[in-house]
Amino acid sequence: MGINGKSYIVGIYEHPCRAALDKTLPQLHAEIAKGALADAGLSKDDVDAYFCAGDAPGLGPINMIEYMGLNNVRHMDSTETGGSSYIVHVNHAAQAIAAGHCNVALITLAGRPVADAKEGKPVRYYNQQAPDFPFEMPYGPNVTNMYAMCAMRHMYEYGTTSEQLAWIKVAASHHAQYNEHARLRDVVTVEDVVNSPMIADPLHRLDCCVITDGGGGIVMVSPEVAKSLKRTRVKVLGAGEAPKHLAAGQVDLTYSGARWSGPKAFAEAGVTPADIKYASVYDSFTITVLETLEDLGFCKKGEGGKFVSDGNLISGVGKLPFNTDGGGLCNNHPGNRGGMTKVLEAVRQVRGEAHPKVQVRNCDIALAHGTGGLLGSRMGSATVILGNEAA
């Protein structure tokens, strides 16, 4: 069953906090849900479907459904693919609405890694029962060096440079200066990036995303409900999701699961990369953006370095404005999960509600993409394409 035009995003909310020392994780989810529903002009009693991932405390969605007083839920989904979960949820909610399982779907993400760290709580938990654990953990992988391997390999294969990667951070910083809630608002240069401390060769500190508390929420509805609301509605045109893994040792570190999720989303939406006016791209590290743009078809494989250079990703300057809220590199990466904020800024762009300094003119079609897991090992990629009423 196709989803093109069968559901709408009518409410969004991004929590303004970046350090939630005075809030619990359930509180963050509840505040986010309230904000998203208020934006849509709906109440919690209108919600008949709830979607969350592993960041939600409790048994899947059940504890949060009770905590938030969602008494009319008849459909729920706790699909977990890391940072891409919330783009997967948009796809699954669109499918559920199209199939008639629900009419008003609420999706929430919340996290407090900054507060947890200050309180002495573990920031991340790795399942030691995972089948890959005993084979890989003895070699000391961590998040940064797994992405660094991808960057190094891309440089070896295609001649990509640290300066080219730096342009991705530069573009994000140009956008973040206009976001009052962004974690990092200072505009940086290529020289600033490549001269920042090396974290895992060849990735510098400014190649890495921020760590923040907070989160975000989305409300999706059926066409019938959308027509009854006054809020500007954003149509879900197409979506795709796909895993990528190490294939028992047949490893290629230069591409991501976007190689498969992107074409499916484009096909369902009936558009091509050339039709996209704005792109929200998961930016855990600069290399994540570069490989994803190649895999989504915005440039040929190996030409990502050239494509992102010289301001090509800066709104009002380049051909493909990206992450106009500052992205994970500068603005917000709540709970170490960046997919939700990618959808939120894409919705703002299609609505025409991004900051005036970064709003893309005539933004009728936008893309949001998430990468969950690790680019250097196994991941869940998800792509969604959104449009205005005329799209």
Side-chain angles (χ1 to χ4, degrees):
M1 176 180 293
I3 62 171
N4 190 330
K6 296 180 181 179
S7 65
Y8 291 83
I9 296 175
V10 295
I12 60 170
Y13 182 75
E14 182 175 355
H15 204 289
C17 83
R18 298 295 181 264
L21 293 169
D22 61 339
K23 300 179 187 297
T24 67
L25 189 55
Q27 278 181 293
L28 287 171
H29 275 277
E31 291 178 7
I32 287 162
K34 182 179 179 180
L37 288 167
D39 185 53
L42 295 167
S43 76
K44 65 182 181 64
D45 293 332
D46 295 309
V47 177
D48 60 0
Y50 177 62
F51 295 72
C52 65
D55 59 276
L59 178 60
I62 298 172
N63 296 69
M64 289 308 305
I65 289 172
E66 178 185 34
Y67 178 79
M68 294 191 293
L70 304 177
N71 298 320
N72 298 314
V73 169
R74 298 296 179 265
H75 184 86
M76 53 190 175
D77 187 324
S78 57
T79 298
E80 170 63 272
T81 60
S84 62
S85 300
Y86 319 94
I87 296 177
V88 172
H89 291 163
V90 170
N91 186 15
H92 290 188
Q95 293 171 0
I97 291 170
H101 296 314
C102 58
N103 288 300
V104 179
L106 171 66
I107 308 168
T108 65
L109 151 74
R112 58 192 307 274
V114 175
D116 286 346
K118 290 185 177 181
E119 294 169 2
K121 298 177 183 177
V123 176
R124 275 184 178 269
Y125 171 75
Y126 191 91
N127 182 5
Q128 295 186 15
Q129 301 304 314
D132 50 274
F133 186 91
F135 297 96
E136 297 177 7
M137 285 302 114
Y139 295 95
N142 61 44
V143 175
T144 310
N145 65 30
M146 294 297 283
Y147 282 80
M149 286 196 304
C150 299
M152 188 66 81
R153 190 65 191 182
H154 204 281
M155 289 176 172
Y156 175 81
E157 292 281 355
Y158 302 113
T160 306
T161 67
S162 291
E163 288 76 13
Q164 290 173 330
L165 288 175
W167 271 107
I168 298 169
K169 171 70 173 191
V170 170
S173 74
H174 273 268
H175 300 147
Q177 66 178 312
Y178 303 112
N179 183 348
E180 63 177 322
H181 300 300
R183 177 68 180 81
L184 302 175
R185 296 186 66 184
D186 291 341
V187 176
V188 300
T189 65
V190 169
E191 290 72 23
D192 291 332
V193 179
V194 298
N195 290 326
S196 64
M198 186 71 72
I199 303 300
D201 193 13
L203 296 179
H204 300 81
R205 184 168 63 193
L206 295 185
D207 286 299
C208 309
C209 71
V210 299
I211 296 175
T212 55
D213 296 347
I218 299 168
V219 177
M220 295 176 59
V221 301
S222 65
E224 293 73 23
V225 173
K227 291 176 183 177
S228 70
L229 302 174
K230 297 180 180 180
R231 197 68 176 97
T232 301
R233 49 187 184 262
V234 175
K235 190 187 307 182
V236 179
L237 301 178
E241 56 194 69
K244 185 210 169 189
H245 50 74
L246 297 179
Q250 302 300 312
V251 183
D252 186 337
L253 298 173
T254 65
Y255 71 92
S256 71
R259 171 180 285 191
W260 301 296
S261 65
K264 183 180 183 301
F266 283 119
E268 187 164 43
V271 300
T272 70
D275 297 311
I276 302 298
K277 302 292 179 58
Y278 165 80
S280 281
V281 180
Y282 204 94
D283 54 346
S284 47
F285 297 87
T286 52
I287 185 61
T288 317
V289 176
L290 189 145
E291 288 197 8
T292 302
L293 290 173
E294 292 178 343
D295 296 334
L296 290 173
F298 289 107
C299 60
K300 294 180 180 179
K301 177 56 66 176
E303 296 182 2
K306 180 180 178 181
F307 182 81
V308 303
S309 295
D310 302 320
N312 198 42
L313 302 180
I314 299 176
S315 184
V317 176
K319 295 180 179 179
L320 183 67
F322 105 119
N323 295 7
T324 45
D325 60 340
L329 288 169
C330 295
N331 171 35
N332 197 8
H333 195 73
N336 300 311
R337 294 162 174 264
M340 172 65 76
T341 54
K342 300 299 171 280
V343 179
L344 302 185
E345 186 66 4
V347 170
R348 294 186 193 106
Q349 282 288 351
V350 174
R351 284 178 169 180
E353 296 176 357
H355 191 284
K357 292 288 188 178
V358 299
Q359 176 64 51
V360 177
R361 293 182 60 188
N362 303 316
C363 186
D364 57 340
I365 301 177
L367 174 147
H369 179 86
T371 304
L374 296 173
L375 194 64
S377 60
R378 55 200 59 81
M379 73 193 74
S381 290
T383 311
V384 64
I385 297 174
L386 309 175
N388 62 15
E389 192 60 47

